[in-house]
Amino acid sequence: MTSCSTLQYLIKGKAKIPSVFDCRNDQEKKLNCTNHGFQNVPYDYYKGWGYYNIYLSENPYICDCSIVWFLREPADVRKNVKDLDEMRCAYPDKLNMKKIAELKEEEICDAERVSFKKFCNPPAGKSRYWNCDNRGLDYIPYDIFVRKQGFSLIGQYLCDCNMVWFVRYLLRYFRKRLIPNFDRITCKAPDTFLNVAVVTLNENDICPQKEPDLCKARPCPKTSTCELAGKMAYRCVDIDECATKQDECHKDAKCINTKPGYKCQCKPDFTEYDNGRQCRDVNECTDKSPCSQNAKCVNIPGSYKCVCLTGFVGDGKECKDIDECKTKKDCSIYAECKNTPGPDKCVCKKGYHGNGKVCRDIDECDGKVCPAQANCQNTLGSYSCECFPGYHLKHGQCLDVDECKTNTHTCDKNALCMNQWGGYKCRCNDGYEEHNSGRICSKKDEASRSNSLLIIVIVVPVCLLVIVVAGLGLYFHRKNRKKQNEPNNKNNADALLKNEEVTQHVFKFNPHANRKTNTPEGTYALFESSDEEIDYDDY
């Protein structure tokens, strides 16, 4: 065990903090601080500059925010630590045995690293200092001393372990000249140091170090606990792993304590592996399964059991299929229940899709299911295709109907029928005039005569209708007057009859008058006066 010199850094009323002056020195100006139980790198290691060789490895260092200051130490200061590459973390466990020289700040401390380039304004005018005043930052920018530039940092900051490096640069490495108004840099937390100037604090005030503890280096085997025996000595006490439940025996093994350690003894009917840390039961299910082919073999300690698969019922040795379709009521009305070995299932009918419990109609018309020249009509569970007018379905295709060939056209007999896609066209023969797109064809020399006849056919009925309406109007007019004037004598009645006969005589229609007569004026006689009665049934 390493002997120690007089303890020079025992702080009154507080625990002793690590110090290089507690370490052994020799004539070679070497400070040997290995195996001293240091949990923190001693703050005063820089004071050992009179000793050009300082050794700090083989200590149980805690790698958290409390060691950030050491990672930011000037290179010319850390060079005196000759075993820097051998210094390793002991805590936390995830960093156990990692080299301290290879640590990255973000993996040991959650505090944000702030760069002056992001928050500070460069020197302006005759000023030689970057302006970082009152930026509301929690921590001093980590890179302000990289190029030995000047910075104004007036403001309040968190005074915790992440402030130690800045305090050391001000107090230990004489960088005050780069920080004007350094006495206006104060703490905003914790409350103990509220508004206290940072320059008045020392490292252990804001980040107390832990007392050296040899047991923290875990010198004892895992089967023992470490107990301090004096300030620089320890002893290992055997652990009863069985009583404290720290053994690694299998659940089917018995733990037996020994000194040191313990041993595991598997229960009967179990095979022992890894000195009882594994006890394996004979697995009957690995051989030819004694269970039904529709059952699962489950191994249990010292035995096994057979469990029917889902959809089957039985004792495991014999499993019968359950026909859930007989009682299944959760299938969609557009689905069918299919009984299968094991769980039955709902399957959507053709023309529907879904999980069987919910089935939705497939709109086949979204795809190209119908042939060209056809309309697609979606229906529940199906669809239909209807060819366009002028086409008919044949062999799954919509083919053009040749109306000319099948004589289903309406062309005039004196017209030529010409088939087209989806229809036809009529063209009157030479010498004929076309009407209604070739549905009617008339000879060109008869065209004028046909036009005259057409005029007569239209005009005569119209004139006749006008005369009849006028006659009826006059008749009913006279009749109404007759009712209004009560006749006083027979002469008045005869006079009325005579007038009525005259009126009837004038508006009688002679159909034979439509014939052409050569009058002196060369006109047609359409109406004439006649006393003869006309029988309209002859016409």
Side-chain angles (χ1 to χ4, degrees):
M1 189 63 61
T2 304
S3 61
C4 296
S5 62
T6 304
L7 303 179
Q8 299 181 15
Y9 281 82
L10 182 63
I11 301 177
K12 185 177 180 179
K14 296 184 179 180
K16 174 187 172 299
I17 64 174
S19 170
V20 294
F21 293 103
D22 292 337
C23 304
R24 184 184 63 191
N25 60 78
D26 53 32
Q27 295 179 355
E28 297 178 359
K29 292 187 177 182
K30 180 174 71 173
L31 286 175
N32 186 356
C33 296
T34 60
N35 290 310
H36 271 62
F38 290 163
Q39 299 181 73
N40 305 106
V41 178
Y43 285 138
D44 62 356
Y45 87 96
Y46 75 98
K47 291 184 178 180
W49 287 351
Y51 299 89
Y52 301 111
N53 301 300
I54 303 175
Y55 294 85
L56 295 171
S57 63
E58 299 183 35
N59 285 293
Y61 293 113
I62 299 172
C63 292
D64 58 12
C65 293
S66 65
I67 203 172
V68 169
W69 68 269
F70 184 67
L71 302 182
R72 295 186 183 180
E73 286 284 275
D76 59 341
V77 176
R78 289 203 309 180
K79 70 180 180 180
N80 289 323
V81 181
K82 299 305 179 182
D83 58 350
L84 178 62
D85 287 340
E86 301 302 321
M87 295 174 64
R88 298 177 183 271
C89 300
Y91 302 94
D93 291 338
K94 66 178 182 179
L95 297 176
N96 184 264
M97 297 306 294
K98 181 162 186 174
K99 292 183 177 181
I100 291 178
E102 296 177 356
L103 286 175
K104 295 180 180 179
E105 292 185 26
E106 55 267 24
E107 67 181 327
I108 61 173
C109 190
D110 293 335
E112 182 181 4
R113 282 164 52 92
V114 180
S115 173
F116 75 88
K117 298 177 182 178
K118 183 176 180 181
F119 294 97
C120 303
N121 296 328
K126 297 181 180 181
S127 175
R128 296 183 296 107
Y129 302 101
W130 285 71
N131 186 349
C132 306
D133 294 342
N134 299 312
R135 303 295 173 174
L137 302 175
D138 286 336
Y139 298 105
I140 301 292
Y142 72 93
D143 51 357
I144 59 173
F145 295 122
V146 173
R147 298 181 180 178
K148 296 183 180 180
Q149 295 174 303
F151 290 85
S152 180
L153 298 164
I154 297 173
Q156 291 191 313
Y157 303 87
L158 296 179
C159 291
D160 56 18
C161 291
N162 284 286
M163 184 63 80
V164 170
W165 72 276
F166 182 67
V167 171
R168 292 176 68 84
Y169 270 83
L170 289 181
L171 303 180
R172 314 299 181 207
Y173 308 133
F174 313 111
R175 302 293 170 84
K176 292 181 181 179
R177 57 187 176 81
L178 298 177
I179 312 294
N181 302 319
F182 60 81
D183 56 339
R184 296 175 64 185
I185 302 173
T186 60
C187 299
K188 64 179 179 181
D191 292 342
T192 307
F193 305 122
L194 183 62
N195 297 324
V196 175
V198 172
V199 73
T200 64
L201 301 173
N202 63 52
E203 300 98 318
N204 205 58
D205 288 333
I206 56 180
C207 188
Q209 293 195 322
K210 296 183 180 296
E211 186 175 2
D213 187 342
L214 290 175
C215 288
K216 292 294 184 180
R218 300 170 181 169
C220 296
K222 293 182 179 180
T223 59
S224 302
T225 59
C226 178
E227 292 183 356
L228 293 175
K231 294 181 179 179
M232 296 303 297
Y234 66 91
R235 64 174 177 267
C236 297
V237 180
D238 179 64
I239 298 173
D240 188 345
E241 294 86 357
C242 300
T244 57
K245 303 296 182 183
Q246 298 182 42
D247 65 278
E248 296 179 355
C249 294
H250 190 266
K251 63 179 181 177
D252 294 312
K254 180 181 179 181
C255 177
I256 302 173
N257 188 58
T258 60
K259 293 183 180 182
Y262 62 95
K263 66 178 182 179
C264 305
Q265 187 178 64
C266 290
K267 296 177 181 179
D269 299 327
F270 286 85
T271 304
E272 184 177 301
Y273 297 91
D274 192 18
N275 296 321
R277 285 165 174 76
Q278 289 292 328
C279 299
R280 298 180 184 175
D281 172 55
V282 176
N283 190 352
E284 295 85 354
C285 296
T286 57
D287 300 329
K288 185 177 180 180
S289 176
C291 303
S292 167
Q293 63 178 0
N294 295 320
K296 178 181 179 182
C297 181
V298 181
N299 185 59
I300 57 177
S303 184
Y304 68 94
K305 64 179 179 180
C306 299
V307 180
C308 290
L309 301 175
T310 303
F312 295 89
V313 63
D315 59 2
K317 298 288 183 69
E318 183 178 352
C319 299
K320 296 181 180 179
D321 177 56
I322 302 173
D323 188 355
E324 293 92 343
C325 289
K326 292 182 179 179
T327 58
K328 207 173 191 70
K329 297 181 180 180
D330 56 350
C331 290
S332 169
I333 61 174
Y334 302 113
E336 297 177 349
C337 180
K338 292 189 176 182
N339 184 42
T340 58
D344 294 346
K345 59 182 179 180
C346 301
V347 180
C348 291
K349 296 178 182 179
K350 184 177 180 181
Y352 296 87
H353 68 96
N355 59 10
K357 295 184 179 180
V358 178
C359 296
R360 295 181 176 86
D361 176 57
I362 298 174
D363 188 353
E364 293 85 356
C365 294
D366 282 345
K368 295 182 179 180
V369 294
C370 290
Q373 313 301 333
N375 285 319
C376 180
Q377 180 65 42
N378 185 56
T379 59
L380 280 177
S382 186
Y383 66 96
S384 62
C385 299
E386 183 179 354
C387 293
F388 295 158
Y391 294 85
H392 71 286
L393 184 66
K394 185 176 182 181
H395 304 305
Q397 295 182 333
C398 288
L399 303 178
D400 175 59
V401 176
D402 191 344
E403 293 86 354
C404 300
K405 186 176 181 180
T406 59
N407 199 28
T408 56
H409 62 87
T410 59
C411 295
D412 189 90
K413 65 181 180 178
N414 295 313
L416 174 64
C417 177
M418 296 178 292
N419 187 55
Q420 294 181 330
W421 285 105
Y424 62 94
K425 183 178 181 181
C426 303
R427 187 177 68 187
C428 291
N429 297 332
D430 293 340
Y432 288 85
E433 186 173 350
E434 183 176 302
H435 304 281
N436 193 19
S437 300
R439 268 63 174 175
I440 299 175
C441 299
S442 61
K443 287 186 178 181
K444 291 183 178 180
D445 57 351
E446 296 177 355
S448 59
R449 191 176 5 172
S450 298
N451 291 338
S452 299
L453 182 61
L454 181 62
I455 292 173
I456 294 173
V457 170
I458 294 173
V459 170
V460 170
V462 171
C463 293
L464 180 61
L465 180 61
V466 171
I467 293 172
V468 171
V469 171
L472 289 174
L474 182 59
Y475 170 76
F476 284 110
H477 175 70
R478 291 180 176 273
K479 191 174 182 179
N480 288 334
R481 290 184 60 186
K482 179 180 178 181
K483 289 181 179 180
Q484 293 174 357
N485 301 322
E486 296 180 359
N488 296 322
N489 52 56
K490 183 177 180 182
N491 292 332
N492 291 338
D494 291 340
L496 290 171
L497 282 174
K498 185 176 181 181
N499 291 336
E500 184 176 353
E501 288 175 357
V502 172
T503 303
Q504 293 175 353
H505 171 76
V506 172
F507 287 94
K508 288 183 178 179
F509 173 60
N510 183 4
H512 297 288
N514 195 29
R515 299 174 184 174
K516 183 177 182 181
T517 58
N518 293 324
T519 63
E521 289 80 8
T523 60
Y524 291 93
L526 298 178
F527 300 94
E528 65 178 7
S529 298
S530 175
D531 293 331
E532 297 180 0
E533 293 184 358
I534 301 172
D535 187 0
Y536 291 99
D537 294 336
D538 294 338
Y539 300 98

